[in-house]
Amino acid sequence: MRTRVLCGLAATAALLASGCAGSTAGTGGEKSAGVTASRAAAFPVKVVDCQGRSTTFGAAPGRIVTSNAAALEMLLELGVGDRVIGTGFPPGAGYLPAGVAEQGARIPVLGSAVPAKEKLLGSGADLYIDSFASTGAVGGTGGPPSEQEFAAAGIKHIYLLSTACPKSAKTDLAEVEQDIKRLGAVTGTLPEADRLVAAMDGTLNKVATALGRLQGERRPGYFFFDYDAGTKQPTAVCNRQIAHAVITLAGARNVFADCDADFEAVGWEDVVARNPDWIQLGVRHRGSEDADRRAFDEAEQFLRTNPVTRELTAVRQGHLLRIGSEVTTVAGVRNADTVQQIARALHPDLVKDGQ
């Protein structure tokens, strides 16, 4: 059983179980119980980030700002969207699931990127959930707030471990599930967090069982083509990005698995040299099915007409998957569904409908 490197949920007076127990989510193995629903309303709650900094909550926060759509969607799925008073990097039109889209559309947008320092500190928030700890990505001329400035404004500051702490290769969705349970503990909604994680595990375990012990030679090479990042120089998904775990769990081999980062600009000659068997047309949602289809068409047309890419195995064989970028590269409950969708396309003899 793989031991988690990052400890995200620490026990406080034995009220909460540790989030550091091993997990084999998506491998069909035993999964640690972690935080259970019976401790749903237990406070104080203490969370620890990847730098070892701890934050203690005496009660559930009531005014939350999120740095991007990942944390926002998790909170909406946990049923606490009414506590979110603002977000950065807002989800594009048509991105959020139908069940939470209407509420998500009402969340005030504090910035097209992450909220500017001045706006964030003056927002009246009592919690900021940060997905970009490693990049210091809060905007504005003053840079990101210091922990002292957060404290002076009365804002607790925590991170999504699955995206803010890319210290090692991601081969499963354990950190995503850990984030969901962390947020469930902090917001007093652990029963809902347990339900969401259980649903993810159910999907992942079905896929893992169907794939069995898929040998390396049966794992096709896979390239995530981030069309919206530009076509002149492709951006590769590397082994520290959530998409790498999604690709791996789906029974594929990320052709840029040796890239030790989250994303990295590469050259088309590098893609040609690795000659993927499958290419995912990574297109961000455009707001409607018609607009999405046109964007996918454009991405496919580029690959089919570009002299450098048209002879790739995936292009010649028509192995071009139309799966949106966000559900692949943004941490969230829908990552498990994306694993299943990719696995069904790549291994239809093993992963059938219902698996």
Side-chain angles (χ1 to χ4, degrees), residues 74 162 173-180 200 242 331-333 335:
M74 288 182 189
S162 55
L173 299 182
E175 289 173 358
V176 178
E177 294 186 346
Q178 189 179 7
D179 278 332
I180 294 168
M200 290 179 67
I242 289 297
V333 298
N335 293 150

Side-chain angles (χ1 to χ4, degrees), residues 121-212:
L121 293 176
S123 65
D126 55 7
L127 171 62
Y128 178 59
I129 304 173
D130 191 348
S131 300
F132 304 106
S134 64
T135 62
V138 174
T141 56
S146 67
E147 293 306 322
Q148 292 76 17
E149 288 173 318
F150 275 122
I155 302 174
K156 294 184 184 295
H157 177 210
I158 65 173
Y159 301 98
L160 289 188
L161 301 185
S162 55
T163 59
C165 311
K167 291 186 175 181
S168 59
K170 299 184 185 300
T171 57
D172 59 32
L173 299 182
E175 289 173 358
V176 178
E177 294 186 346
Q178 189 179 7
D179 278 332
I180 294 168
K181 288 203 171 189
R182 278 160 48 90
L183 294 184
V186 165
T187 60
T189 59
L190 266 175
E192 189 62 20
D194 287 338
R195 185 190 69 79
L196 294 172
V197 169
M200 290 179 67
D201 281 346
T203 298
L204 294 172
N205 288 332
K206 285 180 181 178
V207 172
T209 299
L211 292 176

Side-chain angles (χ1 to χ4, degrees), residues 203-261:
T203 298
L204 294 172
N205 288 332
K206 285 180 181 178
V207 172
T209 299
L211 292 176
R213 295 185 180 276
L214 194 68
Q215 298 301 311
E217 63 270 16
R218 295 192 61 196
R219 287 178 170 264
Y222 195 96
F223 173 59
F224 179 89
F225 172 33
D226 191 346
Y227 177 66
D228 292 306
T231 58
K232 185 175 181 180
Q233 181 176 29
T235 298
V237 160
C238 300
N239 62 30
R240 296 185 186 184
Q241 222 286 324
I242 289 297
H244 176 72
V246 170
I247 292 166
T248 302
L249 291 171
R253 174 179 52 82
N254 178 10
V255 295
F256 286 98
D258 59 339
C259 169
D260 197 22

Side-chain angles (χ1 to χ4, degrees), residues 110 113-120 136-145:
L110 301 185
V114 287
K117 174 180 177 177
E118 298 78 9
K119 185 169 289 188
L120 174 57
V138 174
T141 56

